[in-house]
C-alpha cells in the first residue's frame, strides 16, 4: 500500500509543480523588496518546495522501517538491519546514477518521474497481490495505479514557457506570443532552453538567461554581447603572445568564438558541465561558428575543477565566464580556494579573466570577491563591458601591460570587435575602470572577509541581494565621474583616449 501511495504522490508532484509558477508570481507581486519581504519570500519558496516534495517523501520514508520491521518479525535476527540499509544505499546510488546519466537525457523530467512512479506502483501491486491475494484492496490499488500512470502520460504537461520565464527573479511569466522556444531539453544538471524574442536570441538554464545575442547586424546589440566579446578580446590585447586558452562555461559560445578569432592562439579548451547547453547554443550560428568548426577548438563536457585536475595543463589565458553567484555552484568560482587553485594552471605570464555582474549584488559582496582575488594575484585591471557588467583581468608576478593594438591587425578578431563598436585601442580603453592599485583600497574599506569555501559570504548572501534588486553601479561611476577620480587615486594605467571612434556606445553610461 505504501509503495502504491508513494508512486501516486510522485505522479502528483508533476501536477503540483506545474501550478507553483503562478504561486511564485503572486508571491513576488505581493512582497516588497525589503528585509521582511525576503524573509517571507524564503518561507514561501520553501513552502512551494515542501508542497511538491513532502507527500511522496513522507510515504517513501516509511519503506525502510517497514521492511526492517517485517524481516525482524519473521525472526531473521538483527543482522537484517544492516542488510536492509546496505541494500538501500546501493539502490540509492544506482538510482541516482541511472536517473542522471540515462533517465533525464533520454526521458526528460516528466518521463523520468513517471517511470520512477510506475516502478513504485508496479512493485506495490506485485507485493499486494502476492500477499493479499485477489482481495478488494488489491483491485482498488490496481485501478488507482493504472489510472494514475495513464492520466499522467496522457494529460499532464510541463509548460516550457513557464519553465523558461525565470519567474522567481522578476515575477513574470512568458506569454506565448512574446517569444518562441527553439530548443528545450532536460539535461543532467539543468533544463536548457533557447528562446527567440523579437530581434534577439537567448539561452536559459533553469529559467535564468545565461547569454543573449542580437543576430540582426543592423539592430542594437544585447548588453551580454559586449561583455562576451570583451571577455574574449581583452586578454588577447593584454597578452598578444598567448598561445593557449581555456574558457570555463559555454553560455552562447561567443566568448570562445572570439578567442578563436585570434590568429595566434593554437588551442582553446571550453569546459561546460551541461551537454544540453552545448547543443542548445548551436542555434546562435553563425555568431559562434568558430567554437564548433575551428580545429583548434576542443569542447569538454565535465566539471571545471575535475577537468583541470585530470588534464593537468597550463594555459596563457583562463576565462571564468559564469557570472551570477546566486546560481547554485557558481559562487565557488569566486573564492580564495578557487583563485589559488586556478593560478596553478596558468603559465608564468598567464592571465586570469572573470566576468562579474553588478546587478543583483551589493558593493559589499563585490568587495568580498576582490579581497579573495587580491590575495592571489599581484595585479588586476577592471573593465566595464556595459553599465552593469565588469570584466576583471588578473595577473600574478608582474603588473599588467598596456593594451596592444596588434589585435586590430587580425581581420576576424577586428570584425568581432567592430560588431560591438570597438575600432581601436582607445575605444577599448574607454571601458577601463581602474587597476588594483587604485581600486583595492576601496574594496578593503568594506568590513567583510574575503570570500572563501570556509566563509562563503557570497554564497550565503547573493540570493538576498538578488531579491532586493541590489546594484553596485558605483564601481562603474568611478570611471565616468566628472573629475579624474581614478587618476587621483594613483592609477596611471591606460594608453590614453586619442583615436576614439565617434560611434555611440549606448550600453555605457555617459560621464558628466
Amino acid at each position: 500500500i505504501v509503495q502504491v501511495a508513494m508512486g501516486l504522490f510522485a505522479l502528483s508532484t508533476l501536477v503540483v509543480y506545474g501550478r507553483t509558477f503562478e504561486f511564485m508570481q503572486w508571491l513576488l507581486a505581493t512582497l516588497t523588496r525589503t528585509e521582511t519581504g525576503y524573509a517571507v519570500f524564503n518561507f514561501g519558496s520553501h513552502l512551494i518546495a515542501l508542497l511538491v516534495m513532502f507527500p511522496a517523501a513522507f510515504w517513501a520514508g516509511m519503506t525502510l522501517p517497514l521492511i526492517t520491521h517485517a524481516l525482524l518479525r519473521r525472526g531473521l535476527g538483527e543482522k537484517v538491519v544492516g542488510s536492509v540499509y546496505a541494500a538501500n544505499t546501493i539502490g540509492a546510488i544506482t538510482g541516482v546514477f541511472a536517473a542522471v546519466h540515462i533517465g533525464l537525457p533520454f526521458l526528460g523530467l516528466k518521463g523520468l518521474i513517471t517511470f520512477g512512479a510506475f516502478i513504485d506502483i508496479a512493485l506495490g501491486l506485485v507485493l499486494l497481490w502476492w500477499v493479499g491475494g485477489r482481495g478488494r484492496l488489491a483491485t482498488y490499488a490496481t485501478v488507482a495505479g493504472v489510472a494514475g500512470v495513464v492520466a499522467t502520460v496522457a494529460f499532464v504537461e510541463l509548460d516550457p514557457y513557464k519553465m523558461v520565464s525565470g519567474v522567481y527573479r522578476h515575477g513574470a511569466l512568458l506569454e506565448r506570443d512574446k517569444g518562441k522556444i527553439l530548443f528545450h531539453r532536460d539535461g543532467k544538471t539543468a533544463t536548457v532552453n533557447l528562446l527567440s524574442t523579437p530581434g534577439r536570441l537567448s539561452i536559459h538554464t533553469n529559467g535564468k538567461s545565461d547569454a543573449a545575442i542580437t543576430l540582426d547586424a543592423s539592430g542594437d546589440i544585447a548588453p551580454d554581447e559586449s561583455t562576451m566579446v570583451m571577455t574574449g578580446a581583452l586578454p588577447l590585447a593584454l597578452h598578444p603572445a598567448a598561445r593557449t586558452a581555456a574558457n570555463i562555461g559555454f553560455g552562447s559560445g561567443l566568448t570562445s568564438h572570439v578567442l578563436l578569432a585570434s590568429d595566434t592562439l593554437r588551442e582553446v579548451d571550453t569546459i561546460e558541465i551541461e551537454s544540453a547547453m552545448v547543443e542548445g547554443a548551436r542555434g546562435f550560428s553563425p555568431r559562434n561558428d568558430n567554437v564548433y568548426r575551428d580545429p583548434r577548438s576542443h569542447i569538454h563536457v565535465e566539471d571545471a575543477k575535475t577537468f583541470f585536475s585530470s588534464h593537468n595543463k597550463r594555459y596563457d589565458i583562463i576565462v571564468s565566464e559564469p557570472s551570477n553567484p546566486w546560481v547554485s555552484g557558481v559562487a565557488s568560482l569566486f573564492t580564495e580556494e578557487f583563485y589559488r587553485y586556478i593560478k596553478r594552471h596558468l603559465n608564468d605570464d598567464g592571465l586570469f579573466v572573470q566576468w562579474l555582474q553588478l546587478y543583483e549584488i551589493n558593493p559589499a559582496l563585490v568587495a568580498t570577491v576582490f579581497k579573495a582575488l587580491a590575495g592571489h594575484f599581484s595585479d588586476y585591471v577592471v573593465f566595464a563591458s556595459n553599465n552593469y557588467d565588469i570584466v576583471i583581468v588578473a595577473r600574478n608576478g608582474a603588473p599588467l601591460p598596456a593594451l596592444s593594438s596588434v589585435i586590430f591587425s587580425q581581420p576576424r578578431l577586428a570584425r568581432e570587435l567592430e560588431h560591438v563598436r570597438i575600432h581601436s585601442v582607445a575605444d577599448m580603453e574607454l571601458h577601463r575602470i581602474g587597476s588594483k592599485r587604485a581600486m583595492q583600497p576601496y574594496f578593503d574599506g568594506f568590513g567583510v572577509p574575503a570570500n572563501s569555501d570556509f566563509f562563503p559570504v557570497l554564497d550565503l548572501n547573493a540570493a538576498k541581494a538578488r531579491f532586493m534588486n541590489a546594484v553596485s553601479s558605483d564601481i562603474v561611476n568611478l570611471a565616468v565621474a566628472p573629475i579624474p577620480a581614478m587618476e587621483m587615486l594613483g592609477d596611471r594605467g591606460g594608453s590614453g583616449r586619442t583615436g576614439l571612434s565617434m560611434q555611440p556606445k549606448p550600453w555605457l553610461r555617459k560621464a558628466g
Side-chain angles (χ1 to χ4, degrees), residues 174-220:
L174 178 66
E175 299 175 13
R176 291 178 179 270
D177 60 346
K178 298 294 179 61
K180 181 180 181 182
I181 295 177
L182 306 179
F183 177 91
H184 173 84
R185 181 171 299 172
D186 296 314
K188 295 180 181 180
T189 65
T191 297
V192 177
N193 290 277
L194 183 66
L195 177 66
S196 173
T197 52
R200 191 164 292 180
L201 275 180
S202 55
I203 194 162
H204 298 243
T205 55
N206 295 334
K208 175 199 168 291
S209 176
D210 273 346
I213 292 179
T214 302
L215 295 184
D216 183 3
S218 62
D220 290 334

Side-chain angles (χ1 to χ4, degrees), residues 27 31-43 467-468:
L27 187 65
L31 297 176
T32 56
R33 301 305 176 101
T34 61
E35 296 268 355
T36 303
Y38 180 65
V40 177
F41 171 78
N42 263 339
F43 176 81
F467 174 83
M468 298 183 69

Side-chain angles (χ1 to χ4, degrees), residues 141-162:
T142 302
V143 172
V146 172
V149 173
V150 172
T152 300
V153 172
F155 302 112
V156 177
E157 292 293 338
L158 297 178
D159 188 348
Y161 283 85
K162 289 182 179 180

Side-chain angles (χ1 to χ4, degrees), residues 236 243-247 255-262 265-271 290-291 294-300 307 313 315 317 319:
L236 296 172
R243 295 294 180 267
T244 57
N247 182 26
T255 299
S256 293
H257 172 86
V258 171
L259 286 167
L260 289 159
S262 165
L265 284 181
R266 295 196 300 260
E267 180 182 25
V268 175
D269 289 325
T270 305
I271 306 103
N290 288 346
V291 75
D294 195 307
R296 298 171 297 163
S297 174
H298 307 284
I299 300 173
H300 306 269
F307 170 82
K313 295 169 66 175
Y315 296 89
I317 297 169
V319 177

Side-chain angles (χ1 to χ4, degrees), residues 236-240 402-411 413-414 417 423-426 428 495:
L236 296 172
L238 290 165
H239 192 354
L403 294 167
S404 170
S405 62
V406 69
I407 61 172
F408 294 95
S409 64
Q410 300 176 31
L413 190 51
L417 288 164
H423 303 274
S424 65
V425 169
M428 189 171 280
S495 54

Side-chain angles (χ1 to χ4, degrees), residues 389-403:
D389 290 288
I390 56 174
V391 179
I392 310 162
V393 185
R395 182 180 181 181
N396 196 45
L400 282 158
L403 294 167

Side-chain angles (χ1 to χ4, degrees), residues 332-351:
S332 65
L333 299 178
F334 297 89
T335 64
E336 284 193 287
E337 291 76 14
F338 174 73
Y339 296 136
R340 183 187 304 120
Y341 173 82
I342 208 68
K343 189 171 64 175
R344 297 201 297 265
H345 295 277
L346 283 170
N347 289 324
D348 291 339
D349 55 350
L351 302 181

